[in-house]
Structure formats: structure tokens, C-alpha cells
Amino acid sequence: MKKIESTFINMLVSLLMVCLLSAGLLAGVYELTKADIALAEKNKQENALKGVLPEFDTIETDSINGTPIFKAYKAGEYVGVATIANAMGFSDNITIMLGLDKSNNIVDYEVLSQKETPGLGTKCVVWFKSQINGKNIETNFKVVQDGGDVDAITAATISSRAFLNAVKNASETLIQKETDATTTATEIIN
Amino acid sequence: MKKLTILFNGFLKENPTFVLLLGMCPTLATTTSAINGMSMGLATACVLLFSNAVISLVKNLIPDSVRIPAYIVIIASLVTIVELCLKAWAPAISESLGLFIPLIVVNCVVLGRAEAFAAKNSVFDSALDGLGMGLGFTLSLTIIGAIREFLGSGNIFNINIFPEDYGMLIFILAPGAFIVLGLLMAIIQHLKNK
């Protein structure tokens, strides 16, 4: 079968058909995968929350100054709160999810996204767990180089500082929430 | 041309990475570990198989002068479909490959094989060629990824072989990619010339 001649009409029609068919196919696949993609996103967030909060069965989403916060309840009782915070790292923003228990001690954190140097700044994903987990959120965390107690990642001081900045941003959001939480707790007791 | 010859062509004789030198950008960027390289290779193989087949199917309906834009639209649509499917059913892989999945569109292996083979051969042969090239690409990416992961962090496929502290960080970074690729290319050319 000989190839179609490159006349103007042929070129127009063939390109039109290719684009129409592609658009149709893409729309179809988009519809097909829409639900599963939304589910995957939701699962991702839920798994992150499960990792950083004490055991819970309900989550109440709220927001303070545009930052989302997740209040956790178990059998109707408040057990903790988590928020998402970020700070500029060595290459790009480091985004973390930080969770507190009801005494405002850090339960755990999870790094949601970072673009730090592989093998160096990327260690922030686990490096600080032993140093900040269990401590009160109002602690002023600083690296040793800045006069504090936190051991920075070897050869990745900038990433370490950025990580602690993110924790500080999280604490500012959550302390504001603290005031509200106390109010709510009082209401429940009454 | 025998069907099996077409299929195995992409493994060694015309391996896209070491012989044709196509698709260097994703090769260097996604081979930071064996599993990353393999995932990228398999995603590309999937696109290659279908793009070669589809383009071979419509090769006589698309006038010569507009074949490049037409092929690109077809390839881009296929890559977007792969991207959506990965996001929906393999979100972990989608996250670790990130930006490099949409970049399969401009991977020269895909357009290169479309022009060099699919535009001139039957649908079945083109599909075989796409699959063979894709698997060859996967093979080379996995090997490069395994070497870089092993030398850089002591793991292969996340299985620890020697303590990470003794790894040479450079192999996980860009310069290491070039070094490993160059050395492997030299070795393979030497073996082929024997």
C-alpha cells in the first residue's frame, strides 16, 4: 500500500484524526484511572498520618492560616495532632509531616518530599528521629554548630538546619492549635 | 529477517545504550539504583512496544511531511497513558521515577525506532523490535543501576552487601553515572571487536 501523498488536505485530515483519536483515548484512560489515583493520594496521606500519630480511629481536618492540621481522636477522645510544614533546604523545599501526642510531645515525623544531596542531606529521613522524637514540641531545636544539642548530619549542616526550621514552622502552627485544643477538651469534660 | 533476530537485536548487537547511544539522559539520571533503572527501563519498554506497533499500523495513512508531529502526538499520548496507569496502580514506582516518566516522550530510543523501523516494517515485526529494544534498554539500565548502587552504597536491589559507610558516594551522583557508562561502553565495544 503506497503512502498517502503529502497534499494539504491529506496532511490536515491525518493530523486532525491523530489528535482527535489521541485526545479521545487519553480522556478515556483519565476517567478510568481517576478514582484509583485519588485513592492512592488519600492512602499516601493516611499512611503518613498513621506513622506520625498515636493510635487513632478518626481524623478531623482543619486549617490554621492556610496550613492543614489533622486532629486525631480515638473513641471520641483527643489523642494527638499532626501538621505539614516546610523550609528551604540545600536544593529545594523540605516538606515534613510532624505528629504530636496530647502532651505536645513529638511522636514521629515523616519527610514527605526533599531534594537534598543523595547520601548526605537525604539522611534527614531517619537521622533526627532518635534526637527529637519524644521531646516537647516547644523545645528550641538547634544544631550543635548553632549552640544547640542536635547533632547535624555529617557534611550536611545546611540540610540539617533546614530540617529543624521545618520542625520550628510545624511547632508554630501546632502551638496555635494547642490553645484551641485546650478549649475543646474543656468542653468535652463539661 | 527472522523474528527472533529482530527481538534479540536490541539486547547486544544494537543495544540502545551501549551501541546506538540513544536515551542517554534518562540512563544517567535514573540509574541511581538497580530497581530505579529497571523500573525506568520497563516503563520505556512498554511505551516502545505500543508506539512501534501503533506507528507501524498507521504508517501509510500519515503523509511524509507531517510524520514527525504525528508520531510525537502518538508517543506522547502513550506515555501519558503509562503515567496515569502507574499513578493509579503503582504509586510507589511513580513517585520514585517522578519527572522521568513524562520524559520518556523525548527519549530518543522511542522516536528513533519509530523512524528507523516502525515506519518501514510490518506491525508484528515492529512490535518485536520495540519489545527487543525496550528489554535491551532495561537490561543496560539495570546493569548500570546495580553497579552504581553497589559501589555507591553497598546495596543491590536494596539487599545490603557491605556497610553503606564504605560506599563511594560519587557513584550515586552524576559524575559516577558518566564514569560507569563510559567504562561499560568501552568493555562492550572491546568484546564486540574481538
Side-chain angles (χ1 to χ4, degrees), chain A residues 12-175:
Chain A
L12 192 69
V13 172
S14 70
L15 277 179
L16 184 67
M17 289 313 294
V18 168
C19 292
L20 275 179
L21 288 171
S22 303
L25 189 63
L26 280 171
V29 174
Y30 175 76
E31 280 300 319
L32 196 71
T33 55
K34 207 162 58 166
D36 283 319
I37 291 182
L39 191 67
E41 278 296 316
K42 188 164 157 288
N43 280 344
K44 185 170 149 211
Q45 192 169 80
E46 254 179 41
N47 285 338
L49 284 172
K50 282 203 187 117
V52 306
L53 286 167
E55 234 183 85
F56 60 84
D57 50 45
T58 2
I59 289 276
E60 203 183 285
T61 320
D62 205 344
S63 84
I64 292 191
N65 297 339
T67 318
I69 57 163
F70 308 92
K71 290 180 259 182
Y73 298 90
K74 189 176 160 96
E77 211 187 289
Y78 172 79
V79 291
V81 65
T83 188
I84 298 179
N86 53 41
M88 187 58 180
F90 187 66
S91 312
D92 203 346
N93 267 336
I94 301 182
T95 308
I96 63 170
M97 184 180 273
L98 191 82
L100 308 179
D101 61 23
K102 51 185 182 209
S103 329
N104 284 346
N105 292 330
I106 297 177
V107 175
D108 206 349
Y109 70 82
E110 191 171 307
V111 177
L112 297 178
S113 87
Q114 50 87 9
K115 285 196 168 54
E116 304 304 280
T117 317
L120 294 171
T122 50
K123 286 194 184 153
C124 69
V125 174
V126 291
W127 183 274
F128 297 100
K129 293 205 184 218
S130 55
Q131 301 191 65
I132 69 171
N133 286 3
K135 300 242 172 87
N136 193 285
I137 187 65
E138 300 196 33
T139 321
N140 195 1
F141 294 110
K142 281 210 178 293
V143 291
V144 170
Q145 287 91 329
D146 292 337
D149 291 321
V150 180
D151 251 331
I153 303 173
T154 325
T157 321
I158 296 179
S159 298
S160 306
R161 281 194 184 117
F163 178 83
L164 293 180
N165 278 340
V167 174
K168 181 149 169 291
N169 290 338
S171 87
E172 274 162 24
T173 313
L174 292 169
I175 289 175

Side-chain angles (χ1 to χ4, degrees), chain A residues 118, chain B residues 25-34 141-156 167-181 184:
Chain B
C25 176
T27 305
L28 295 167
T30 59
T31 47
T32 47
S33 71
L141 255 63
T142 311
I143 292 177
I144 298 176
I147 295 178
R148 286 180 68 193
E149 190 185 1
F150 180 67
L151 292 174
S153 67
N155 303 329
I156 296 190
M168 293 172 268
L169 192 60
I170 189 173
F171 285 103
I172 308 240
L173 302 174
F178 281 98
I179 294 173
V180 173
L181 180 63
L184 278 177

